[in-house]
Amino acid sequence: MKLQRHGLVAALLAASALLLAGCGSDPVPAGGGAGAPAAGGPAVDCGGKENLSAEGSSAQKNAMDAFVQAYQAACPGHNVAYNPTGSGAGIKQFSAGLVDFGGSDSPLSQEKGEVAAAAERCQGNPAWNLPLVFGPVALAYKIEGVTNLVLTAEVAAKLFNGQITTWNDPAIAALNPGVDLPDTPVKVIYRSDESGTTDNVQQYLAAASKGAWTQGTGKKFNGGVGSGAEKSSGVAQAVAATEGSISYVELSFAQDAKLSIARIDSGSGPVELTAENVGKAIEGAKVIGSGNDLVIDLKGVYAEPAPGSYPLILATYEIVCSQGYDADTAKAVKAFLTVAATTGQANLADAGYAPLPASFQEKLLTAVTAIA
């Protein structure tokens, strides 16, 4: 299945505008040039540290490439070196003070001590979760002759924890009448590195699988079966090369590898990963963070998806210090995030992501301006 990316963006923009209504949507000035408003964006105060470093989510790697290109155009001579090692590694490197900001597909965890560790790095000040990228996660598979597979969260959970071991299992056959399912062994492929994508998928399975997923959540895959692959690109490549395989990977990587994507039945019939259906899911999400800590709650979307919605979605965050940077680093981080939240969003559609709505851009810019 091939999703039209520009259609996806339009639907997500409309849904996100409803989700984030009330944040404000005053127009931003137009212009261009370093230190002046870039085309369609706010004034960018370029300067400070010339070479920022960042690490984390591989799900946002393609988006980060677009952000860096826009930043270099707005602030000549400045760069961000982004290492897509996975969300877990990004948070650890940020908290250790080894990179200037981290990227994660899930917010900092209080229970795992990530909030405290990040605050210590930030000289005792809280770190903020700033979502810059939204997108769906595909249940991607490779089964010869099967291109229109239907799964439920319950069956997906049983695939990922090894309870279902062949593709012609009666539970799968019941969801796919008339489909010639082979007796091919199921080969689960999972993210071997700690990943916010894994965390989101396990949160989804825990919330929606009617008790079939008892392995818990977190950035480490807990299913106990299958073969691991590093980063989103590695997962997509492994699925493409493995007959009988199934995994979870962000839409842009599934599209790039031309993988088949399962439809999800949440109780109201099979739902394809389309623009309209993802938009319906985004409408059900809420912002639950306090102040400038812009955490999105997706658990409600997972547990009680709207009829006809594609529920498996994620938000990718940049983890930054609210205070505690030196002056040069703070200035450069603010300049980069300003560009990323505005003009950097322009090319995300071509990378398979959903640009931020104007109202949420303003909320992000308020947080970025407050970084000290």
Side-chain angles (χ1 to χ4, degrees):
M1 181 204 69
K2 182 68 173 179
L3 186 69
Q4 294 299 318
R5 290 177 176 176
H6 293 286
L8 172 64
V9 171
L12 286 176
L13 284 173
S16 298
L18 291 175
L19 159 67
L20 299 161
C23 297
S25 57
D26 294 337
V28 291
V44 180
D45 186 12
C46 299
K49 189 175 182 179
E50 291 186 352
N51 294 296
L52 291 172
S53 61
E55 185 168 340
S57 166
S58 63
Q60 71 168 14
K61 171 60 168 60
N62 294 336
M64 188 60 66
D65 289 344
F67 295 158
V68 171
Q69 185 177 11
Y71 179 49
Q72 291 173 335
C75 299
H78 291 263
N79 185 43
V80 177
Y82 185 76
N83 190 5
T85 55
S87 299
I91 289 174
K92 289 176 182 177
Q93 294 290 83
F94 171 77
S95 297
L98 299 178
V99 294
D100 298 311
F101 62 90
S104 178
D105 304 329
S106 55
L108 294 170
S109 169
Q110 183 80 41
E111 293 75 14
K112 293 183 178 180
E114 292 173 349
V115 171
E120 182 177 354
R121 177 265 160 88
C122 297
Q123 308 297 319
N125 302 292
W128 288 339
N129 302 273
L130 303 182
L132 284 178
V133 181
F134 288 89
V137 179
L139 295 180
Y141 66 93
K142 183 179 183 181
I143 310 171
E144 185 175 358
V146 179
T147 58
N148 201 20
L149 186 71
V150 176
L151 297 174
T152 62
E154 181 178 2
V155 169
K158 292 179 179 180
L159 287 166
F160 285 121
N161 66 17
Q163 293 183 56
I164 293 176
T165 59
T166 60
W167 282 110
N168 64 348
D169 186 277
I172 301 177
L175 296 172
N176 296 272
V179 177
D180 185 15
L181 295 166
D183 60 358
T184 305
V186 173
K187 297 180 180 179
V188 171
I189 295 172
Y190 59 87
R191 280 284 295 273
S192 59
D193 51 322
E194 288 195 352
S195 164
T197 308
T198 298
D199 190 19
N200 277 275
V201 170
Q202 293 185 141
Q203 293 278 2
Y204 165 71
L205 295 176
S209 69
K210 301 179 180 178
W213 185 261
T214 59
Q215 284 68 35
T217 60
K219 296 182 180 68
K220 180 180 179 181
F221 179 71
N222 300 320
V225 297
S227 302
E230 286 192 1
K231 308 176 185 178
S232 300
S233 58
V235 168
Q237 291 167 7
V239 173
T242 308
E243 180 63 29
S245 61
I246 185 169
S247 191
Y248 52 89
V249 69
E250 299 75 18
L251 172 63
S252 60
F253 292 91
Q255 288 180 319
D256 289 344
K258 297 179 173 58
L259 303 178
S260 296
I261 299 173
R263 293 182 291 162
I264 295 178
D265 189 341
S266 300
S268 60
V271 177
E272 190 175 1
L273 202 174
T274 67
E276 180 181 2
N277 299 336
V278 171
K280 290 177 182 177
I282 292 289
E283 288 179 16
K286 297 179 180 179
V287 179
I288 59 170
S290 175
N292 289 324
D293 187 27
L294 306 180
V295 176
I296 306 292
D297 178 25
L298 295 177
K299 292 182 181 179
V301 174
Y302 299 155
E304 298 182 7
S309 68
Y310 184 89
L312 191 45
I313 58 176
L314 60 77
T316 296
Y317 301 87
E318 309 315 320
I319 311 299
V320 302
C321 289
S322 59
Q323 299 183 61
Y325 289 121
D326 63 77
D328 282 346
T329 300
K331 187 168 187 176
V333 167
K334 292 168 72 170
F336 171 74
L337 293 176
T338 297
V339 172
T342 53
T343 55
Q345 299 283 318
N347 295 322
L348 291 193
D350 292 334
Y353 303 98
L356 298 170
S359 56
F360 197 48
Q361 287 180 354
E362 182 170 343
K363 196 168 184 67
L364 274 170
L365 291 174
T366 298
V368 170
T369 301
I371 293 172

